[in-house]
């Protein structure tokens, strides 16, 4: 039993990473209605920027804020320059564009900062949290930040004019335009916010997985899975999904014999798919009604 | 969630509707392309012939995805898994059971058809992003499954299997590479003709009806579940044959050659070639074989970035892929004829 509770705790700790990333995924899905495959690479690039700033002597929180602003502006710029011209192109062409963006960012980061693994500092320290060997203060801090982000997003979408406008633009673009919402800029804003949330995720994850250009590959897959499991339309679902995926993965690794590190991912994905087969819109997602 | 929060999606289709006549080439163009494909190896070096063989079997794999996505409107990131099954079935039959290579391919096709058809069953409940995630899971699981211990006796585990290249039969004066090229060409042509006819048939029309509007299709009496799984099966079967051909041509199979990267490449090939335009598959295959090499040639350190930029250029200029080029060409030809 103790092993079981310990594994769940460890699962929640890794789940916090996925929850962070899943929030960014949901953010962009709300704005543009599909998944951005380059999301993880954008987050990785932001994290490198903050690392570089710290190398130049900027204190942690200063670098944190500058990176946040940089990512927000960068996300908007990517949308305006690269994806606005593709707004009328087929969806699959847009997906190809995400893959191209992925290749560009990954390869440029590799050239600028090379592929060696770098240490990344944490503002929370890495002592055991409340005497538990499984959760460090950093991981507890990460869970805290994720929950704060979620609350912030909830208030933003429910109680601000611009949050309302973004929701309107995402769910019924034509009607939103008729009441005077600039839907095109709402999409850009969505990109900016997703990039900023992604950069927070990146800066929180980097102390755990270490900083290198490929650090986000695995994390993004789990983030997608978490977002899909929770229901792509719900930030709350994304966070719950993130924790569930973390717990799934840990329990599968511990209790199913013959599952090494490599089979953990397929098993976690298989579990998620079985959930989806029963609940196709995810655990907390809205059911979409189709009209002929 | 309350009913008031339900969202209504109107006519928002992920895959655009391509009419079936627009899916193929005219007779004249077909003959020219065929003559080129027949003649080029006679004047090329062995390495180039090998690359052309590669072009054909990857084109076949892209074509398979095109039938699934462009034809029936289902998206898949799991094609690399069926490709791997096809390659392994061929390699294991050839090396462990001494089956003739020409016989291995249909067996690989049938096995993959079965696998695809079965996988299509749970996938019926999923669409769009959810289907993408499910197929993605299949693609990430496949290399790990091939490494499993109890299969190692046949699959050779992580090391993989070496496959012997067949000689030209009947004492034909041809190099192994050239024989394999013509063999692949014949298989590819046969499958291309089969696919064109399939899409023109009753089943093909059912696929397209499902792609354009699932509800309307089922109202007209199309058995949606059957045709969706059938599309998965056919696509997987063709991918399996392509995988088998690749095993023979590369002379080697190993779990790590069939990762998710391969599935992404096939997807890019489909987009570049034009979703729903079957002849575009070969153009798409050319893109995924040659453009990474080209990018490497332009800049070694930044090859990924150069590849990304080139891909962006292509989708900016022709968002509908090679199909768009073909349509523009046709219009130009039409104008010239009038003058």
């Amino acid at each position: 039993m103790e092993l079981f509770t310990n594994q769940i705790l460890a699962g929640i700790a890794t789940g916090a990473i996925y929850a962070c990333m899943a929030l960014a995924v949901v953010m962009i899905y709300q704005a543009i209605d599909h998944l951005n495959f380059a999301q993880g690479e954008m987050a990785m690039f932001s994290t490198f920027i903050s690392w570089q700033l710290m190398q130049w002597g900027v204190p942690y929180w200063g670098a944190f804020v500058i990176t946040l602003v940089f990512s927000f502006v960068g996300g908007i710029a990517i949308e305006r320059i690269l994806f606005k011209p593709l707004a009328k192109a087929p969806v699959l062409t847009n997906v190809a564009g995400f893959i191209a963006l992925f290749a560009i960012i990954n390869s440029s980061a590799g050239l600028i900062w090379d592929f060696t693994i770098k240490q990344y500092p944490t503002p929370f320290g890495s002592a055991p949290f409340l005497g538990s060997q499984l959760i460090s203060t950093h991981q507890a801090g990460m869970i805290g930040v994720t929950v704060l982000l979620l609350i912030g997003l909830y208030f933003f979408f429910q109680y601000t004019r611009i949050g309302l406008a973004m929701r309107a633009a995402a769910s019924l673009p034509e009607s939103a335009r008729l009441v005077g919402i600039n839907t095109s800029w709402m999409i850009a804003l969505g990109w900016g916010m997703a990039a900023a949330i992604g950069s927070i995720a990146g800066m929180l994850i980097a102390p755990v997985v270490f900083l290198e250009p490929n650090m986000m590959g695995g994390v993004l897959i789990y983030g997608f899975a978490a977002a899909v499991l929770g229901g792509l339309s719900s930030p709350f679902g994304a966070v719950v999904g993130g924790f569930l995926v973390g717990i799934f993965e840990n329990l599968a690794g511990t209790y199913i014999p013959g599952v090494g590190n490599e089979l953990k991912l397929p098993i976690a994905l298989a579990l998620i798919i079985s959930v989806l087969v029963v609940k196709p819109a995810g655990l907390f997602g809205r059911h979409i009604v189709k009209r002929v | 969630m309350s009913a008031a929060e339900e969202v209504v999606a109107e006519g928002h289709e992920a895959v655009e509707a391509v009419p079936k006549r627009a899916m193929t080439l005219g007779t004249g163009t077909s003959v020219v392309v065929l003559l080129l494909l027949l003649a080029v190896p006679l004047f090329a070096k062995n390495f180039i012939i090998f690359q052309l063989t590669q072009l054909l079997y990857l084109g076949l794999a892209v074509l398979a995805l095109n039938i699934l996505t462009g034809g029936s409107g289902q998206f898949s990131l799991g094609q690399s898994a069926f490709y791997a099954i096809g390659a392994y079935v061929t390699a294991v039959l050839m090396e462990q059971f001494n089956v003739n290579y020409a016989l291995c391919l249909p067996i690989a096709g049938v096995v993959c058809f079965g696998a695809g058809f079965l996988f299509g069953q749970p996938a019926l409940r999923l669409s769009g992003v959810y289907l993408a995630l499910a197929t993605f899971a299949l693609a990430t699981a496949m290399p790990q499954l091939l490494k499993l211990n109890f299969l190692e006796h046949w699959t050779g585990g992580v090391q993989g299997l070496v496959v012997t290249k067949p000689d030209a039969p009947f004492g034909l004066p041809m190099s192994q590479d050239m024989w394999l090229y013509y063999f692949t060409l014949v298989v590819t042509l046969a499958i291309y003709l089969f696919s064109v006819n399939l899409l023109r048939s009753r089943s093909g029309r059912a696929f397209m009806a499902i792609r354009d509007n699932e509800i309307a299709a089922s109202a007209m009496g199309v058995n949606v579940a059957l045709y969706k799984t059938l599309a998965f099966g056919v696509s997987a079967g063709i991918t399996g044959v392509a995988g088998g051909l690749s095993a023979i041509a590369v002379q080697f199979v190993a779990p790590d050659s069939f990762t998710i990267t391969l599935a992404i490449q096939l997807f890019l090939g489909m987009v570049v070639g034009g979703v729903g335009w079957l002849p575009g598959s070969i153009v798409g295959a050319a893109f995924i074989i040659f453009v990474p090499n080209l990018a490497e040639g332009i800049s070694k350190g930044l090859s990924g970035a150069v590849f990304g930029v080139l891909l962006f250029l292509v989708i900016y200029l022709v968002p509908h892929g090679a199909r768009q080029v073909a349509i523009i060409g046709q219009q130009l030809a039409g104008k010239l004829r009038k003058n």
Side-chain angles (χ1 to χ4, degrees):
Chain A
M1 197 59 213
E2 194 178 332
L3 179 70
F4 183 73
T5 33
N6 282 349
Q7 285 304 325
I8 289 200
L9 266 182
I12 290 176
T14 34
I17 301 178
Y18 309 149
C20 254
M21 204 59 220
L23 262 185
V25 168
V26 166
M27 192 63 229
I28 195 79
Y29 190 78
Q30 285 288 340
I32 61 174
D33 214 29
H34 25 101
L35 296 176
N36 177 2
F37 288 98
Q39 187 107 56
E41 302 312 288
M42 286 162 60
M44 174 273 292
F45 200 86
S46 301
T47 313
F48 262 113
I49 297 278
S50 67
W51 178 82
Q52 189 65 60
L53 286 170
M54 279 183 257
Q55 293 295 305
W56 287 333
V58 183
Y60 184 90
W61 292 109
F64 187 88
V65 173
I66 297 174
T67 306
L68 222 55
V69 175
F70 167 85
S71 313
F72 184 73
V73 175
I76 291 182
I78 287 177
E79 197 276 335
R80 290 283 108 175
I81 298 165
L82 293 177
F83 288 98
K84 192 162 176 275
L86 288 176
K88 290 218 168 69
V91 174
L92 293 180
T93 308
N94 270 289
V95 176
F98 297 143
I99 295 170
L101 184 63
F102 180 103
I104 294 174
I105 299 181
N106 186 285
S107 150
S108 326
L111 190 79
I112 304 175
W113 291 291
D114 75 49
F115 285 90
T116 52
I117 293 173
K118 295 175 178 65
Q119 293 274 354
Y120 192 89
T122 157
F124 306 110
S126 51
F129 181 65
L130 299 178
S132 161
Q133 291 300 314
L134 287 157
I135 291 197
S136 66
T137 43
H138 174 76
Q139 281 161 326
M142 208 154 76
I143 297 174
V145 172
T146 312
V147 173
L148 277 181
L149 258 181
L150 178 64
I151 296 171
L153 275 180
Y154 175 79
F155 279 99
F156 174 77
F157 278 118
Q158 293 293 330
Y159 296 109
T160 63
R161 274 185 77 83
I162 196 142
L164 183 66
M166 276 182 80
R167 281 196 295 151
S171 60
L172 278 175
E174 275 151 35
S175 315
R177 268 198 292 278
L178 285 175
V179 295
I181 295 168
N182 188 339
T183 48
S184 158
W185 269 99
M186 289 302 134
I187 291 175
L189 193 62
W191 271 83
M193 286 179 64
I197 296 173
S199 76
I200 297 179
M203 286 184 277
L204 290 174
I205 295 165
V208 184
V209 300
F210 300 112
L211 185 60
E212 52 125 357
N214 295 322
M215 69 185 247
M216 281 302 193
V219 177
L220 182 68
I221 293 166
Y222 283 111
F224 276 159
V228 170
L229 178 66
L232 277 164
S233 47
S234 151
F236 174 72
V239 172
V240 175
F243 288 125
L244 283 180
V245 170
I247 295 170
F248 269 176
E249 179 204 26
N250 253 307
L251 291 183
T254 320
Y255 288 104
I256 303 175
V259 176
N261 256 332
E262 298 198 306
L263 268 180
K264 260 168 137 185
L265 173 64
I267 287 191
L269 288 173
L271 265 172
I272 291 161
I273 289 157
S274 12
V275 171
L276 285 179
V277 167
V278 182
K279 266 186 89 66
L283 293 175
F284 299 94
R286 270 172 312 200
H287 186 61
I288 301 212
V289 181
K290 271 199 186 137
R291 195 183 281 171
V292 182
Chain B
M1 286 290 156
S2 65
E5 278 186 64
E6 282 180 340
V7 180
V8 177
E10 280 181 78
H12 183 77
E13 295 304 328
V15 180
E16 57 181 323
V18 181
K20 65 175 189 293
R21 234 180 264 153
M23 283 190 164
T24 50
L25 283 178
T27 329
T29 330
S30 309
V31 171
V32 172
V33 172
L34 182 60
L35 285 178
L36 269 179
L37 284 175
L38 280 173
V40 166
L42 300 176
F43 310 101
K45 275 182 281 184
N46 269 347
F47 178 66
I48 302 206
I49 296 178
F50 169 72
Q51 280 196 320
L52 285 173
T53 315
Q54 212 183 357
L55 182 71
L56 288 177
Y57 65 70
L58 276 177
L60 210 50
V62 176
L63 175 95
L65 181 59
N66 230 332
I67 291 177
L68 186 67
T69 308
S72 83
Q74 302 180 90
F75 182 64
S76 168
L77 274 176
Q79 297 300 99
S80 61
F82 301 119
Y83 194 87
I85 297 177
Y88 263 93
V89 167
T90 308
V92 170
L93 284 179
M94 274 174 76
E95 295 309 307
Q96 319 280 26
F97 300 96
N98 286 321
V99 182
N100 184 290
Y101 62 95
L103 265 178
C104 291
L105 291 179
I107 299 175
V110 169
V111 170
C112 287
F113 176 86
F117 193 77
L118 287 180
F119 184 78
Q121 300 288 344
L124 272 177
R125 297 266 298 160
L126 310 170
S127 62
V129 177
Y130 302 97
L131 184 60
L133 186 79
T135 50
F136 175 85
L138 186 68
T140 48
M142 190 49 72
Q144 313 304 341
L145 294 179
L146 291 172
K147 284 180 200 163
L148 286 181
N149 277 336
F150 66 92
L151 288 175
E152 202 167 320
H153 179 59
W154 291 293
T155 60
V158 186
Q159 259 87 43
L161 276 178
V162 176
V163 180
T164 21
K165 210 173 221 178
D167 284 316
F170 322 120
L172 285 174
M174 268 185 198
S175 68
Q176 285 177 328
D177 282 311
M178 198 186 276
W179 163 245
L180 195 61
Y181 172 80
Y182 282 114
F183 178 71
T184 312
L185 183 63
V186 169
V187 175
T188 309
L189 282 178
I191 291 180
Y192 175 72
L193 287 177
F194 163 79
S195 314
V196 169
N197 284 319
L198 175 76
L199 288 178
R200 280 186 186 153
S201 71
R202 184 187 165 87
S203 311
R205 284 194 299 275
F207 288 166
M208 280 178 254
I210 292 172
R211 173 196 69 191
D212 295 343
N213 197 325
E214 211 175 304
I215 301 170
S218 77
M220 288 190 305
V222 173
N223 185 342
V224 174
L226 174 70
Y227 282 106
K228 275 181 128 176
T229 40
L230 194 64
F232 245 105
V234 169
S235 169
I238 297 177
T239 313
V241 174
L245 283 169
S246 88
I248 302 172
V250 182
Q251 296 176 267
F252 181 60
V253 288
D256 290 325
S257 358
F258 309 111
T259 54
I260 183 72
T261 321
L262 175 67
I264 292 175
Q265 281 179 327
L266 293 178
F267 166 75
L268 288 181
M270 176 179 70
V271 171
V272 170
V275 179
W277 191 55
L278 298 186
S281 306
I282 209 95
V283 183
F287 183 87
I288 54 179
I289 296 173
F290 298 115
V291 172
N293 291 345
L294 182 73
E296 194 115 325
I298 293 174
S299 160
K300 265 228 144 62
L302 270 178
S303 63
V306 175
F307 176 74
V309 170
L310 289 174
L311 182 56
F312 257 121
L313 276 183
V314 170
I315 59 180
Y316 276 151
L317 293 175
V318 279
H320 298 270
R323 185 163 69 90
Q324 207 171 352
V325 178
I327 292 171
I328 296 170
Q330 241 173 11
Q331 283 165 349
L332 277 181
K335 265 185 199 161
L336 283 177
R337 234 173 268 161
K338 267 184 200 161
N339 288 341

